[in-house]
Amino acid sequence: MQTQGRRVIRCRAAVAWAVGKPLSVEEVEVAPPKAGEVRIKIVATGICRTDDHVLEGCFPNVDFPVIPGHEGAGIVESVGEGVTTVKPGDKVIPIPLPHCGECSFCLNPESNYCLKSHFSESQNLLPDKTSRFTCKGKQIHHFLWVSTFAEYTVIPEYAVAKIDAAAPLDKVCLLGCGFSTGYGAAINTAKVKPGTTCAVFGLGGVGLSVVMGCKAAGASRIIAVDINKDKFAKAKELGATDCINPRDFKKPIQEVLTEMTGHGVDYSFEVIGQADTMIAALASCNMSTGVCVMVGVAVSGSVIPIDPVLLLCGRTWKGTVLGGWKMKDSIPKLVSSYLEKKFNSDLLITHMLPIAKVNEGFELLRAGKSIRSVLLF
């Protein structure tokens, strides 16, 4: 198997050549893994709104040309020297938030961050500052090291989680980002308590995963907020007790939610990434003990003007990345929970498409016609 790992593999990948251009499905060359790296055959990958932010040029510090995608699942094809946690043939989920295991954040049991993350140092190239992708003679950049829109990808070992061999890869790929982010925002970040009230702004794949997390935590009332009423039936199926469209009211939605609940919800979640909805979500939770969690990723360079009085009486405003899970340890456990039917993330999948139709998948996302589209190689 080691000899197989030494060859360059030619395969398909969806390449973003420039900001604002559709993805182009190309033949790319994928170099073998170097020491500490793993080459993975990607079987399935979800389309996440963050990938759309990359194409629009809104995600910070991404270099083009690039192979996006960060919500995938696959099988280890070969490993570089010194790799011990996975072997060829293992089913794995690449993790967009690495776990080096050595930095102060990795060593802190209360943190799921890692200094190798894109928010601290660029993940456009692998740790040795080179790429494993070439296309038409040009170097292609990695995205968050994972680049799951390629049929084969090379990733550092500490950004790969081995999962149960029984896991269906076309379903559990969602655990690589969207489902885990939303579900964990409720369970880990907000720590929703039984019998409480929650409001979820934005009912895409991640927002609906927040709804599932609130329900699993025992919330008695879950108010789903979106301007697309077509999302409401799915939200109710997943646990929302009320669904409201801000466009149906003349007053600000935070006032509507405060009136509906008496003094505001116990927990609010912004899962869109816009300044106005972030302020509305913050103002919607109880002024003393309310907790607002920012899940949506705002456009790079955004500034939010807020009245400090909103926080004066004790409200908590916090962020979350990948739902607070230490991904390398938590992904295998989440996959086991999926196999034990403790949650049904399959309900988020609305479309299965071949990689050749990747741009159609993004059009469905932008038009609000999909929750999660899964691309298959």
Side-chain angles (χ1 to χ4, degrees):
M1 205 65 193
Q2 212 46 47
T3 52
Q4 184 180 347
R6 292 198 191 109
R7 66 188 173 94
V8 170
I9 289 179
R10 286 183 173 76
C11 67
R12 290 167 300 159
V15 178
W17 289 102
V19 170
K21 295 278 195 306
L23 286 158
S24 177
V25 177
E26 308 274 8
E27 183 179 86
V28 299
E29 291 87 45
V30 185
K34 294 185 183 179
E37 297 174 357
V38 180
R39 188 160 61 181
I40 298 164
K41 177 178 171 52
I42 297 291
V43 173
T45 178
I47 295 178
C48 177
R49 179 68 73 178
T50 303
D51 297 310
D52 197 33
H53 289 332
V54 171
L55 302 182
E56 292 169 345
C58 300
F59 196 81
N61 309 320
V62 172
D63 292 334
F64 287 77
V66 62
I67 297 173
H70 63 285
E71 189 178 85
I75 297 164
V76 175
E77 177 269 338
S78 58
V79 299
E81 197 182 323
V83 170
T84 58
T85 58
V86 293
K87 62 184 185 305
D90 284 349
K91 285 188 178 180
V92 292
I93 288 179
I95 48 180
L97 182 65
H99 184 85
C100 75
E102 295 172 357
C103 70
S104 59
F105 292 99
C106 282
L107 295 172
N108 179 351
E110 293 183 11
S111 163
N112 76 321
Y113 191 68
C114 174
L115 283 175
K116 299 288 186 189
S117 157
H118 190 75
F119 294 104
S120 289
E121 59 179 72
S122 165
Q123 289 178 282
N124 299 327
L125 296 170
L126 292 189
D128 71 349
K129 304 301 176 208
T130 62
S131 171
R132 302 293 165 269
F133 296 122
T134 50
C135 180
K136 300 177 180 173
K138 290 196 175 80
Q139 171 184 278
I140 308 294
H141 293 92
H142 295 248
F143 175 57
L144 301 180
W145 286 343
V146 290
S147 292
T148 58
F149 288 178
E151 192 173 3
Y152 285 85
T153 186
V154 178
I155 305 174
E157 179 183 17
Y158 52 72
V160 178
K162 180 182 172 180
I163 61 169
D164 194 308
L169 298 177
D170 59 341
K171 304 291 197 297
V172 298
C173 58
L174 268 59
L175 276 56
C177 175
F179 175 77
S180 302
T181 297
Y183 196 74
I187 304 271
N188 300 327
T189 309
K191 295 183 169 58
V192 171
K193 292 180 181 144
T196 54
T197 56
C198 302
V200 181
F201 288 69
L203 302 176
V206 181
L208 290 170
S209 300
V210 174
V211 170
M212 294 167 80
C214 292
K215 186 183 179 187
S220 59
R221 193 174 187 191
I222 303 166
I223 305 168
V225 184
D226 203 298
I227 55 173
N228 179 355
K229 64 181 188 302
D230 295 343
K231 302 276 179 81
F232 291 170
K234 181 69 81 174
K236 289 207 162 163
E237 182 188 354
L238 295 175
T241 54
D242 308 72
C243 294
I244 58 175
N245 182 342
R247 290 180 175 167
D248 291 343
F249 302 92
K250 290 199 165 61
K251 59 180 72 165
I253 195 67
Q254 52 265 47
E255 290 180 24
V256 175
L257 286 162
T258 301
E259 285 174 14
M260 284 174 72
T261 54
H263 298 286
V265 294
D266 297 304
Y267 306 95
S268 60
F269 301 85
E270 201 278 357
V271 204
I272 303 162
Q274 292 181 349
D276 57 346
T277 43
M278 286 180 178
I279 295 166
L282 179 62
S284 298
C285 70
N286 174 312
M287 67 189 292
S288 172
T289 55
V291 175
C292 176
V293 180
M294 287 196 304
V295 190
V297 179
V299 171
S300 180
S302 299
V303 175
I304 304 174
I306 72 148
D307 181 346
V309 171
L310 280 172
L311 299 172
L312 185 67
C313 294
R315 266 191 188 98
T316 302
W317 196 16
K318 60 201 303 193
T320 185
V321 62
L322 282 158
W325 304 103
K326 277 189 183 286
M327 293 292 275
K328 195 164 171 70
D329 300 330
S330 300
I331 284 280
K333 294 172 186 167
L334 283 164
V335 169
S336 297
S337 295
Y338 167 87
L339 292 170
E340 290 160 14
K341 298 189 164 41
K342 289 186 176 166
F343 52 78
N344 187 1
S345 47
D346 296 0
L347 295 170
L348 302 170
I349 301 171
T350 51
H351 299 77
M352 290 269 192
L353 301 167
I355 187 66
K357 292 191 173 177
V358 59
N359 288 311
E360 192 179 307
F362 277 95
E363 283 158 21
L364 288 164
L365 175 72
R366 291 170 193 142
K369 290 181 178 167
S370 64
I371 302 299
R372 263 300 185 271
S373 295
V374 172
L375 300 170
L376 303 170
F377 283 99

